[in-house]
């Protein structure tokens, strides 16, 4: 289960801004413990994460029944998300904004190590968010190549630099844990992410003018 956690979660991370548009589904699937409100039931990825990588002290493991219920709820909520997504369409501006939102997810949670508090698999999420952002830009590429070829060139250059840097932290089929990163590593990743985010943030404005 530990080996599969980060791998399975990448699919969620690629489409996270879409899921956030369904207000009820996002907290059921992805709420972090720190954001729980009093009396709120904790379900989803991070509840399972904590039980897979329990704190060394003061934690009571879930029962087998609770674990089965969490897994079943995660599958049911994911199926519901899949069904809802099939009914959606996106205009060019929404795609541009979605690309930027995915990079914001990296900046606010993944590159800081806050997202995967117990598993420390933040770099898997980092890659998935960047892949989702890149896919959104790819859908707009035919228009952008004509409207602003210099912007496309900048996005390609900085996107490759970010991907190449991320590859240096690859280990086997995945990545090193966030806790293995040095402050210098985090700074390098943050700098490359900011450089990529800057041109991506202008995409929505370019397509809106068209």
């Amino acid at each position: 289960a530990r080996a599969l956690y980060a791998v399975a979660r990448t699919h969620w991370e690629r489409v996270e801004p879409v899921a956030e548009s369904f207000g009820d589904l996002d907290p059921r699937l992805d709420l972090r413990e720190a954001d729980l409100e009093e009396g709120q039931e904790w379900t989803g990825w991070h509840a399972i994460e904590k039980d897979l990588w329990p704190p060394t002290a003061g934690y009571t493991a879930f029962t087998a029944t609770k674990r089965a219920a969490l897994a079943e709820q995660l599958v049911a909520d994911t199926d519901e998300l899949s069904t809802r997504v099939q009914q959606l369409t996106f205009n060019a501006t929404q795609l541009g904004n979605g690309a930027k939102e995915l990079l914001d997810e990296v900046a606010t949670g993944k590159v800081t190590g806050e997202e995967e508090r117990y598993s420390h698999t933040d770099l898997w999420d980092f890659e998935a968010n960047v892949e989702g952002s890149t896919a959104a830009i790819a859908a707009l590429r035919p228009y952008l190549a004509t409207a602003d070829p210099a912007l496309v060139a900048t996005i390609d250059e900085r996107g490759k630099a970010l991907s190449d840097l991320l590859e240096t932290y690859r280990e086997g089929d995945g990545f090193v844990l966030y806790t293995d990163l040095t402050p210098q590593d985090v700074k390098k990743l943050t700098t490359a992410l900011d450089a990529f985010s800057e041109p991506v943030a202008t995409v929505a404005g370019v397509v809106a003018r068209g």
Side-chain angles (χ1 to χ4, degrees):
R2 283 184 173 185
L4 289 173
Y5 172 82
V7 177
R9 188 166 159 76
T10 58
H11 302 283
W12 160 267
E13 290 292 338
R14 291 189 188 110
V15 300
E16 196 165 0
V18 177
E20 289 175 349
S21 68
F22 305 126
D24 56 329
L25 271 178
D26 182 50
R28 292 200 324 244
L29 279 160
D30 202 40
L31 192 68
R32 290 183 290 183
E33 186 175 24
D35 299 321
L36 278 170
E37 298 178 359
E38 187 175 353
Q40 183 178 10
E41 182 183 8
W42 193 23
T43 62
W45 289 103
H46 293 302
I48 293 171
E49 177 202 8
K50 184 176 182 178
D51 197 56
L52 287 173
W53 287 272
T56 55
Y59 178 73
T60 301
F62 292 146
T63 63
T65 299
K66 175 66 173 178
R67 288 171 176 163
L70 278 172
E72 290 170 6
Q73 185 66 51
L74 182 67
V75 171
D77 288 340
T78 301
D79 285 342
E80 183 178 343
L81 174 62
S82 178
T83 298
R84 293 197 196 186
V85 166
Q86 308 311 316
Q87 303 165 7
L88 290 179
T89 57
F90 300 97
N91 62 39
T93 301
Q94 288 171 323
L95 284 173
N97 286 330
K100 179 60 168 63
E101 287 170 11
L102 274 162
L103 298 180
D104 289 343
E105 289 284 346
V106 183
T108 58
K110 283 67 178 187
V111 81
T112 62
E114 296 175 19
E115 182 76 11
E116 306 294 348
R117 178 179 177 184
Y118 302 103
S119 66
H120 307 300
T121 55
D122 302 89
L123 291 186
W124 279 261
D125 295 355
F126 190 125
E127 181 185 50
N129 285 157
V130 172
E131 287 176 344
S133 178
T134 301
I137 296 298
L140 299 171
R141 192 179 187 90
Y143 173 78
L144 292 173
T146 299
D148 196 336
L151 176 61
V152 173
T154 299
I155 289 174
D156 287 349
E157 177 187 355
R158 296 183 184 182
K160 183 179 185 305
L162 177 59
S163 294
D164 288 349
L165 177 60
L166 193 57
E167 280 298 311
T168 66
Y169 299 102
R170 190 169 291 283
E171 185 174 80
D173 294 332
F175 295 93
V176 301
L177 299 180
Y178 186 84
T179 46
D180 293 334
L181 300 179
T182 66
Q184 291 74 24
D185 291 326
V186 174
K187 183 176 181 179
K188 286 193 294 185
L189 286 165
T190 301
T191 299
L193 174 64
D194 289 343
F196 183 47
S197 296
E198 182 182 1
V200 170
T202 69
V203 167
V206 171
V207 296
R209 290 195 298 270

